[in-house]
Each structure stands twice: as C-alpha cells, then as structure tokens.
Amino acid sequence: MVNIIDSHPSLARLKRQIEALTPSAWRDPRGRVSFGLDRLDARLDGGLARGAVHEVLPRAEGDWPSASAFALIIARRAAEAAGTILWISSDAQRRRYGAPYGPGLADLGLDPDQILLVHAPDDLACLKAAADSLACTGLAALILDMGATQRLDLTASRRLALAAERSGVTALLLRPPASILASAAASRWQVAAAPSAPLPGNAPGRLTLSLALLRHRGGATPFDMVVEWNNEYRRVCEPTLLRDLPAPSQRRHMAA
Amino acid sequence: MARDKGAMRIMAVDEMAEALGITPGMALADARARLPDLQTTPYNAAGDARWLEEIADSCDRFTPSVALDPPDGLILDITGCAHLWGGEAGLMSALAAHLVQLGLTLRLALAETPDKARALARHGGDMLRVGRKISPRNLNETGLGYQPQPEQAAATSHATPLDVLDLPVDALGLAEDKITALRRAGLRTLGDLAMRPRAPLAARFGQATVARLARILGEEDARITPRRVPPDISVTQRFAEPVGHSDILRATLHELAGEAGQQLAQRGQGARAFLLMLFRSDSQVQRLAIATGQPTRDPDLVLRLFQERIETLADPLDPGFGYDLIRLDISETDPLGADQLGLTGKDNPARSINLLTDRLSVRLGAERIRRFAAADSHIPECAGFTVPVARPVLPLADHGGTLEAGEPPLRPMHLMDPPQIVQVIAEVPDGPPRRFRWRRQVHDITAYEGPERLSAEWWKRRDGAGLTRDYYRVEDSAGRRFWLFRHGLYEREKDKPDWYLHGLFG
C-alpha cells in the first residue's frame, strides 16, 4: 500500500503538526516513567526507562503482594489514564496468590477497564504470550508474573528487552525472591512490605513499600527507600510517618 | 444380535445372510438352525450411533444441512447445493459413490420434501438400493469366506423411480396397531388413503395419520432440523486429486477467506467466527474453529489465526491420503464499514490490541484472555470477577473505587478463590483477630480494621439461611496486609466459626 500521507508535502506538514500536539511520551519511546516523587525520580535521572524491561522481586516469599503492587504502580505510571496494561500470569501463580481483583485495583487508583488479563497455563505459554504482546505497539505496559522458572534465562530476557525497545512497551517481570539468573533488564528492584502509617483507630493505612534498587543500566547507584502509594493522586509519595501528621480528628474532618 | 425379552435376536444382517434367508428380528436359535456357520457379533447400539454421526459428518461435504434419522438414516437438504455437483443427478451419484466407498449398502431417494424422501427410501423396495452387488452364483462359489469386490460407483440415480402412492401404509411410520387398523379397513397403499376425503380418515385413524400422509404426499412441507446451524456464508474448494501439502492448503485457505471477504464486503459485514472443514478422502472430517473479537474480512488475518490454531493442536493435523474438499464457513457476522486509514498513518492502538487478543485467544483459548467485570453485589467474589475478552458484557455496575478522600484501599489486590482456611487466635471469640497462621507462618497482627459485616444473600436461598461474614483488614508486624473473615457469627450461627483468608493487599 502506498502511503498517501507521506507522498504530499502539505499532508506531511499537517502530520508533523498533529504529532507535535500528542503527548511527548507517545512520540518518544525512550521517554521516562516518573514516579511522581522528586526524591525518587532524581535518583533515577527522571524516572525509569520506557520501552524497557524492569525486574521486580520480593525480598521474601511473603512480600510477593508488595512486589506485584510495585509492578502495577510502574505500569500505571507508564500507562497513565488511557493506556492498556496487559497482565500475564501462570496458573501456578494464581493458585498461589489468588487472581487480580477488580474492586481492589480500583481502590488502588487504577481503572480495571484498562487492564487485560492473560491466564497462561504454564511458563512457556507465559513467555510466548509476553513475546507476542511486546510486539504490540498499542499496549502501554505489560506485567509478566510467572514465578520461579529456568525458562526466563539471559537469552529469553534479552529477547524480551529487544522487543520492548522496538515497540515502546514497558515490561515488568515479577520474579521469585533472590533470583540469581542473569538478565538483560534495565533495572532490578527488590520490594518488601513496610508498616503503614496507621489511621485513626489503629486501622491499616495506605500501601507502603520498602524499595531497594539493586541494579540499574543507566548507572544509578543502588539505594533503599520507603515510599507510600497515594491511591487518590496516583503517585508515589513520602511515607506519612515522615510527614507532619495532622491529628486523627482533623484527618477525618479534612476527609469529609 | 442382542438380548430381547430373554431370547437372543438378530438385529442386523449383511447381504450374504439376507440372501440366505436370515432376517432381522429372527431368534438366534432359529437362525443357527438354518445356518449353523452363522457368525455373530454383539449388537453395539452406541457404536452404530457414532458411526451414523461420522457418516453424517462426511456428508457435510454435499450440503451444510444434514439431519439424522436414527437409527440408520440420514436426511440431506440439498436446496441450492445441487448445481455444485452438476445437478441433482450428479449429486445423487456422487453421494452414492461416496457412501458405497465407505462400505455401505444404502437406499437412496430424492424428493421434494424430507418426509417423502424418507418414505421412499425406507419403503421403496430394492429398486433404490445402492451397494456392492453380489450375485447368487458368486456366493455359491466362494461360500462363506466370500470377499466382496469393491465395485466403484454402483450408483443409480432415479429422480423419482417410484410413485409414493404405491407405497404400503407402513410408510406412514405409525405405531403397529394403527397400521393394522388401516389394513383391516382395506387400505393397503398410500394411494388408497390419498383418494379418500381426509376428515373421515382423521376421525377414524387420528389426526396424526392425516398429518403424516399430507407430509409424505408433499402437500405440507416440514423442513429438517439440521445437526448444525447452517452458516451465513460458506465457501468451498473441491480438488480433483486429494491434496495434503501445507502450502497448497494455505493458499487455498487464503483464497477462500478472500472470497468470503468479498461476500462480506458486499453485505457491509465482517465475520467474528470461522469454521474450517477439511474433508479427507477417507471420509474423516477435521474441523477447526476460530473467533475474533472484532469483525474482520482480512484474509491475511484469517490465515494467520488458523495457523496459530493449527500450531496449538494437541496432535498435529494428519492429512492422511489428502483432502478432497475444503470449506470455510462463517457463522457469526457483525456490521463492519469500509476500512479507513488512520490520519497519522500509524496503527490505531485499540486495533492492534484487538489483533493481539485475537491471536492469544486462538492460541490459549478464548477463556484465558480476560477482563474485569463488575456486578451489583455486596458479596466480594460476586462484585468483581473476570470474563473472557471476546464475550460482550454490559457495564452493569461500577468497578467500585468509591473511596472517600484519604482512605486506603478497602478491597484486596488479589482475591483467593476459594478463600483459604487459617488458624486464628483472638482475644475474645467474637472479637478481632490477634494472630493467625497461614501456610505454616505465624503473623502477629499490629493493626486492624473491622468487622465489616456482610450477610449472606439469604433472599436468594430457599432456606433463607447462610452464614454471615465478618471481614477484617489486618496488617502484621512486617507490614503485610491481609483480608480475613470469620465465617458465621459466634454462638448465634455457629459454635466455632472458621476463619478464612480471602485476599492480599499490596
């Protein structure tokens, strides 16, 4: 098919103008995914690389929900409000930790309609689905949750990284704790749960995570940080404990 | 043979036994008396039914609407199909040749209505018989070790060799006593019945008799109910020689998809479900189905999805001696306008995601590509669930997310299905949990919120019962957050309520 649009100079000019109006993140696949917390973004030179593979691993077995929440946070920041997130998980992982739950994701500040789920039967199907999905330019982010496996070796992860770079899809690999397999990921994070700032009446508070950057291809030095996810403004922020806490009665008042 | 009322009876015979005077219904003892060397096998009704289904499958090559007429008949509606085979006579002889090749002996009749054809075939006598021929001389020479010689295309193609009026009254297919009553009244053929006024007939022999008669005479038409729903669009490619090479199959499929696409484009439609039927020369039929999320008529896409489907087959496609007919059916269509190019020349993101989900659906199964759906319910597992992407759902309810400002998530990210039983220590039996054990690990609870009391949907239950759940959002000393519930109110609904873990917060 002859591309009519490029064949005529005035049309080509119009095309450039329209592209100039679209958000920069679409135009530049190498744009950055910011967390919305200056202290964290500064360490990463503006944020995580878009169109790259990032690894997230829990510190211990029981921190898996926190790791998956962090992967989801990066995916949400990459997709913004309109992008589509594809979540691929294996049957074994869903048996172990349960299936993603729409109302819970909505509470975290995500729109469940922007998430598509792929329930792959096994690791191989997971990897194949991920490879196909990373070729799809319409996706914003992809979460691959396949537990402990030998299949995701250096070659496989390099293949995923290349595909992500080509399509601009940000891929997040959820891996088991202490995975020692080498990989071609752009960054590697270790995530653990952290006690939240309790609400009035000693109720558990917002999602609080203890992050550790283990490796970064861009040259950022490893660091540890405790952060909180603000489900209203959909950004990472300082944990409430470090901020000035209004008195509990005031909090409720402000909320109302 | 089969056991019937205590006696072994002959259920079916081959031509040779028939020639020697053995008939179905005869007691085995009588048959043995006539023919001591008689070979018998137990009657297998299920096997026969399966065989009939298989034959019906292979008859799909002649027409898409085939109906079973158990235990041993098939009815084919060939309306609009005959021209593909060079007219009715051509189709009849092709059908006869095909079935005889399978080793069948059959009686074949063609008529304007299914009931007429059925009556002719079942009661029209041996004139309609098609099969390998055995001459008595041959039989005597070779004795019981006779090997039938395949005689190709022993087809007879009488359009209507017989007049239905000459058929005996048995052709009405009524109960035995009705037939006897008709015979007693001196009515022996359908012609006898047809010349009489219907009202007295109905008064004496029942309305059913008259209705059957009208159908057989073609005065009243009743269409058959086909085994499968006839497709909206069906395109077929026949081969003079069976083909098995995958390149040829691919090219043929592409051609068929293109042809179907043209038909769809004329109607302003796109297809959502395709069925590919590969008719093997040995009467086996292989069926492959694909479905797409969005209507399409792009032959490249159809070809790619079918290739994806073929790759996922548990046992690879076996062409055997080759396929002699390939058909592509389209059973589900949606309106689809003309293609439009994007203004920036880029792929539309929604379109590329649809292509991706279609591919994954074909490979992994449509049930495995899912999205979230919500329903208006307070039971957590009913309020939020997932449905296959391909299935259209109405947005019945919001996904939740009705938090007040400053509130943390109240529902977990991951929901356990089913909830997992945990051992809980609480200070008082109906109080909040203090400590619980899950997967051999003890969690000390440092913060909790609850109970959020959710009653069972008693209005949906006949007994109006059901246990109340008391939900607690808890955080342990390491900062991990869980969703626990007590199943049943202490001492009011249950003596010792169990505790369950229903979800994990991030």
Side-chain angles (χ1 to χ4, degrees):
Chain A
M1 187 175 63
V2 182
N3 198 340
I4 315 162
I5 290 152
D6 289 338
S7 62
H8 200 279
S10 63
L11 276 177
R13 199 167 53 244
L14 190 61
K15 182 181 162 189
R16 272 199 304 279
Q17 279 173 9
I18 290 169
E19 276 183 345
L21 293 175
T22 55
S24 60
W26 292 9
R27 207 171 56 243
D28 178 17
R30 288 174 196 284
R32 300 210 159 245
V33 183
S34 86
F35 285 100
L37 174 62
D38 294 340
R39 192 161 67 96
L40 180 55
D41 290 335
R43 298 266 195 143
L44 299 165
D45 192 20
L48 287 178
R50 203 179 283 270
V53 174
H54 303 283
E55 283 187 344
V56 180
L57 25 125
R59 187 180 296 159
E61 198 69 50
D63 291 317
W64 185 87
S66 301
S68 92
F70 185 61
L72 202 62
I73 285 170
I74 302 175
R76 175 60 178 78
R77 294 292 304 183
E80 295 171 18
T84 303
I85 301 169
L86 194 76
W87 189 332
I88 304 174
S89 57
S90 67
D91 283 355
Q93 284 296 93
R94 261 174 295 109
R95 264 199 303 278
R96 206 172 165 75
Y97 298 113
Y101 181 54
L105 299 177
D107 279 2
L108 269 182
L110 283 98
D111 179 5
D113 288 331
Q114 75 181 140
I115 302 174
L116 291 174
L117 303 166
V118 176
H119 290 183
D122 52 38
D123 293 347
L124 187 62
C126 270
L127 263 186
K128 280 175 86 171
D132 276 356
S133 312
L134 283 180
C136 172
T137 50
L139 282 184
L142 172 134
I143 300 176
L144 177 60
D145 170 20
M146 52 193 282
T149 175
Q150 296 296 316
R151 285 198 193 276
L152 193 52
D153 53 9
L154 185 60
T155 322
S157 76
R158 192 171 286 157
R159 199 168 288 150
L160 292 182
L162 283 174
E165 198 174 350
R166 226 172 289 136
S167 62
V169 181
T170 309
L172 301 148
L173 307 186
L174 260 173
R175 309 197 70 171
S179 4
I180 42 158
L181 287 172
S183 87
S187 73
R188 174 180 286 188
W189 296 83
Q190 191 180 58
V191 184
S196 62
L199 299 178
N202 197 28
R206 279 194 184 128
L207 171 63
T208 312
L209 303 170
S210 154
L211 307 177
L213 178 68
L214 300 184
R215 233 182 52 170
H216 192 260
R217 288 214 166 216
T221 45
F223 61 87
D224 291 350
M225 197 179 281
V226 176
V227 297
E228 194 178 279
W229 170 249
N230 185 320
N231 41 300
E232 276 167 70
Y233 298 107
R234 298 173 184 93
R235 58 192 186 84
V236 174
C237 56
E238 296 286 354
T240 318
L241 285 177
L242 299 180
R243 280 184 281 146
D244 300 330
L245 252 180
S249 56
Q250 250 178 327
R251 274 176 69 96
R252 273 292 168 191
H253 184 70
M254 278 161 62
Chain B
M1 51 153 197
R3 184 174 292 278
D4 174 38
K5 291 177 193 156
M8 298 299 272
R9 286 192 188 279
I10 306 283
M11 295 301 289
V13 294
D14 65 359
E15 298 123 347
M16 213 158 44
E18 199 179 6
L20 294 168
I22 312 288
T23 54
M26 193 181 257
L28 181 63
D30 294 346
R32 284 237 192 272
R34 284 189 187 201
L35 199 64
D37 295 340
L38 185 69
Q39 289 177 11
T40 59
T41 50
Y43 177 60
N44 177 0
D48 273 7
R50 217 164 34 238
W51 173 224
L52 188 65
E53 291 271 356
E54 266 178 43
I55 297 169
D57 271 351
S58 76
C59 284
D60 275 347
R61 71 177 68 200
F62 298 104
T63 162
S65 72
V66 177
L68 296 181
D69 181 25
D72 52 1
L74 289 179
I75 302 175
L76 279 65
D77 184 348
I78 60 162
T79 312
C81 301
H83 67 280
L84 296 171
W85 302 84
E88 289 175 350
L91 193 140
M92 289 279 277
S93 57
L95 178 61
H98 172 66
L99 295 176
V100 168
Q101 199 194 352
L102 298 181
L104 296 171
T105 305
L106 57 142
R107 282 205 293 253
L108 197 60
L110 174 70
E112 311 88 79
T113 65
D115 292 83
K116 187 171 179 184
R118 184 178 179 278
L120 281 170
R122 291 209 179 270
H123 303 277
D126 283 346
M127 272 185 72
L128 297 166
R129 185 166 169 144
V130 185
R132 294 167 182 155
K133 290 186 180 115
I134 306 168
S135 66
R137 196 179 57 82
N138 224 344
L139 190 66
N140 288 339
E141 273 173 14
T142 51
L144 290 170
Y146 163 73
Q147 295 281 319
Q149 287 164 5
E151 210 169 296
Q152 289 297 320
T156 49
S157 53
H158 317 277
T160 39
L162 288 173
D163 195 348
V164 269
L165 296 179
D166 295 336
L167 294 181
V169 285
D170 307 67
L172 288 173
L174 294 169
E176 199 64 44
D177 54 335
K178 284 270 175 65
I179 301 293
T180 316
L182 285 168
R183 279 191 206 284
R184 288 228 179 101
L187 301 165
R188 296 195 177 278
T189 64
L190 295 185
D192 293 344
L193 285 174
M195 56 189 277
R196 262 159 245 280
R198 298 292 157 82
L201 272 184
R204 182 160 171 191
F205 301 106
Q207 192 60 45
T209 314
V210 179
R212 290 284 177 92
L213 184 65
R215 283 189 177 187
I216 291 174
L217 296 178
E219 292 163 3
E220 187 185 291
D221 196 1
R223 295 284 93 193
I224 58 170
T225 310
R227 301 164 65 231
R228 296 177 220 286
V229 183
D232 285 357
I233 291 177
S234 177
V235 283
T236 310
Q237 175 69 55
R238 265 200 289 163
F239 300 102
E241 286 285 316
V243 296
H245 200 277
S246 56
D247 285 345
I248 303 177
L249 292 182
R250 218 169 290 144
T252 310
L253 179 54
H254 193 268
E255 216 168 89
L256 289 177
E259 206 177 301
Q262 277 175 8
Q263 290 189 30
L264 285 166
Q266 279 171 9
R267 302 184 185 191
Q269 286 180 326
R272 292 197 50 187
F274 294 87
L275 176 68
L276 178 66
M277 284 189 276
L278 301 163
F279 293 83
R280 250 162 61 167
S281 49
D282 59 352
S283 96
Q284 291 281 314
V285 185
Q286 282 154 346
R287 287 164 198 281
L288 297 169
I290 57 164
T292 61
Q294 294 298 312
T296 181
R297 44 176 182 249
D298 175 11
D300 296 325
L301 174 69
V302 175
L303 184 63
R304 204 159 64 229
L305 290 177
F306 270 115
Q307 272 176 335
E308 198 76 62
R309 180 80 189 77
I310 289 169
E311 275 171 30
T312 59
L313 289 179
D315 30 312
L317 217 51
D318 174 18
F321 296 107
Y323 303 106
D324 55 3
L325 190 144
I326 294 178
R327 171 187 293 159
L328 184 68
D329 280 355
I330 291 165
S331 48
E332 212 178 297
T333 56
D334 267 350
L336 176 67
D339 292 334
Q340 190 177 355
L341 274 175
L343 191 58
T344 55
K346 270 188 196 164
D347 255 2
N348 178 358
R351 195 177 139 80
S352 72
I353 290 172
N354 278 330
L355 290 180
L356 173 69
T357 53
D358 284 349
R359 276 189 77 181
L360 293 176
S361 298
V362 166
R363 179 164 350 127
L364 300 171
E367 290 295 306
R368 286 184 170 276
I369 318 299
R370 308 180 78 89
R371 62 186 158 125
F372 292 106
D376 220 353
S377 168
H378 69 278
I379 301 290
E381 59 269 32
C382 303
F385 48 93
T386 60
V387 292
V389 167
R391 195 180 304 156
V393 266
L394 298 171
L396 283 177
D398 280 342
H399 290 289
T402 50
L403 293 181
E404 285 178 25
E407 261 188 322
L410 299 179
R411 290 287 180 265
M413 261 180 77
H414 295 271
L415 197 72
M416 293 289 181
D417 180 30
Q420 307 214 333
I421 196 156
V422 289
Q423 283 83 48
V424 167
I425 297 171
E427 274 172 3
V428 282
D430 55 351
R434 269 279 137 247
R435 177 182 290 180
F436 72 98
R437 179 198 284 270
W438 179 51
R439 287 186 182 157
R440 287 180 292 175
Q441 223 175 351
V442 177
H443 301 271
D444 283 311
I445 293 169
T446 54
Y448 75 89
E449 185 179 58
E452 182 184 351
R453 184 159 291 178
L454 300 181
S455 64
E457 291 181 311
W458 48 265
W459 58 92
K460 283 188 182 168
R461 297 171 62 122
R462 198 171 287 273
D463 54 359
L467 295 177
T468 306
R469 301 180 194 172
D470 272 354
Y471 276 94
Y472 288 88
R473 220 156 50 76
V474 304
E475 183 173 306
D476 75 358
S477 50
R480 295 168 188 164
R481 287 161 283 270
F482 304 90
W483 210 34
L484 302 175
F485 71 88
R486 185 199 290 115
H487 202 213
L489 298 175
Y490 176 69
E491 278 191 342
R492 269 194 279 165
E493 290 179 352
K494 216 172 171 190
D495 281 345
K496 276 198 172 148
D498 289 324
W499 282 87
Y500 293 89
L501 185 139
H502 204 175
L504 304 170
F505 291 91

